Amino acid sequence: MIIIADGGSTKTNWCLLNDEGKKVYFNTEGYNPYFSSIEYIINSLNESLPADLEKDKITEVNYYGAGCSTQEKRDQVKQAMSAVFTKAQVNIGHDLLAAARALLGRNAGFAAILGTGTNTCIYDGKEIVQNIDSGAYILGDEGSGCHIGKKLLTDYIRGYMPEVVRALFWETYQLTPDDVNEEVYTKPLANRFCASFSKFVYDNNVHIEYSRNLVRTSFEDFFKNLVTHYPDYQKYTFNCIGSVGYNFRNVLEEVCVENGMQVGNIIRSPIDSLVKFHQELAAEVK
């Protein structure tokens, strides 16, 4: 039995593929090694994996994760996964490679992630050949849920929100500006905290012009600071994975066209396409 997993900073989607080809899906939290220690990952997996999962029968784990961009961070996650799946060969890849493989398969092109965080690349059909660092949630991550959430929270603590939005925000969260600052600056996983507020923007179009402008300016920053810096970027279609890109795709597509790119695939999750990729890979090996 093998496992394929796509791990974001907030959530990991897993698929168990048994020897008969049956698929079993489940979820855990996300395990970004920049924020989650080896011990934390091990404990979380032991607590949140399905109780009936026969871990000692897993022969291969293919985990693609946010933050797994360097060998050091991949080794960190591999050590944790190997401690849980003790009989398995554990392969760790970057979630950006998962996105490219899911969106483009064996074809070359441009691929992006717009979820809790942001990432972009040029893919040659096998591997990532160019990547501009997103800067993560403090320095960049334009277009992400975290970036949209930060813009919303900044407007809230500065008093820039339209009153109707501010009233609904208070009714929903009961957070003072001091509470927001404490969550961001003194508690762990500030990226997830900020990203959680992109859902408020999506769910509550209480002031459509304000909400739409918040999202649009975030996507404009994403193109200005990341996408347009790839040489000849306009020759590629725009392909994107992630809940933020998918949920706000109407605005994203507008900004994409304005920047001279044709819209390709915009999907919520790569897991199904990623499973198919590994099934085809396994068939070739056989």
Side-chain angles (χ1 to χ4, degrees), residues 61-80:
V61 174
N62 296 288
Y63 177 88
Y64 298 85
C68 296
S69 55
T70 67
Q71 191 59 52
E72 178 189 359
K73 295 304 179 185
R74 287 193 290 272
D75 288 344
Q76 183 177 323
V77 176
K78 183 174 182 176
Q79 185 176 336

Side-chain angles (χ1 to χ4, degrees), residues 3 14 26 45 49 53-56 58 61 80-90:
I3 281 180
W14 302 76
F26 51 93
L45 286 173
L49 288 172
L53 181 66
E54 298 177 290
K55 295 191 286 288
D56 59 341
I58 306 299
V61 174
M81 295 286 168
S82 297
V84 175
F85 302 101
T86 57
K87 304 291 179 63
Q89 174 186 329
V90 177

Side-chain angles (χ1 to χ4, degrees), residues 186-248:
T186 69
K187 295 187 179 180
L189 303 175
N191 62 322
R192 290 190 199 174
F193 173 77
C194 293
S196 69
F197 294 96
S198 65
K199 186 176 186 299
F200 175 84
V201 178
Y202 178 73
D203 288 344
N204 300 290
N205 283 319
V206 290
H207 193 300
I208 293 175
E209 183 181 355
Y210 171 77
S211 300
R212 188 178 179 84
N213 185 62
L214 202 70
V215 174
R216 168 174 270 278
T217 55
S218 186
F219 287 155
E220 287 172 346
D221 289 344
F222 168 65
F223 271 85
K224 177 183 176 182
N225 298 329
L226 290 166
V227 180
T228 59
H229 289 269
Y230 287 97
D232 302 319
Y233 73 95
Q234 291 175 327
K235 76 178 184 181
Y236 303 107
T237 59
F238 179 87
N239 304 284
C240 172
I241 271 176
S243 58
V244 172
Y246 183 82
N247 289 339
F248 297 112

Side-chain angles (χ1 to χ4, degrees), residues 4 16 39 42 59 77 88 91 103 135 137 158-159 167 173 195 197 200 222 246 271:
I4 299 98
L16 172 68
E39 182 181 8
I42 293 171
T59 58
V77 176
N91 305 307
L103 287 163
Y137 80 100
R158 290 175 176 171
Y173 299 108
F197 294 96
F200 175 84
F222 168 65
Y246 183 82
I271 191 66

Side-chain angles (χ1 to χ4, degrees), residues 90-160:
V90 177
N91 305 307
I92 306 296
H94 196 198
D95 64 340
L96 187 57
L97 180 59
R101 287 177 169 176
L103 287 163
L104 298 164
R106 304 297 178 89
N107 300 313
F110 173 89
I113 295 172
L114 286 172
T116 300
T118 295
N119 218 332
T120 55
C121 73
I122 303 298
Y123 173 70
D124 68 358
K126 293 182 180 179
E127 301 292 338
I128 293 167
V129 293
Q130 189 174 5
N131 166 241
I132 298 172
D133 198 312
S134 73
Y137 80 100
I138 292 178
L139 299 179
D141 265 356
E142 294 92 331
S144 69
C146 186
H147 192 252
I148 292 169
K150 283 195 299 182
K151 290 169 71 68
L152 182 81
L153 292 173
T154 300
D155 282 358
Y156 177 65
I157 64 176
R158 290 175 176 171
Y160 295 165

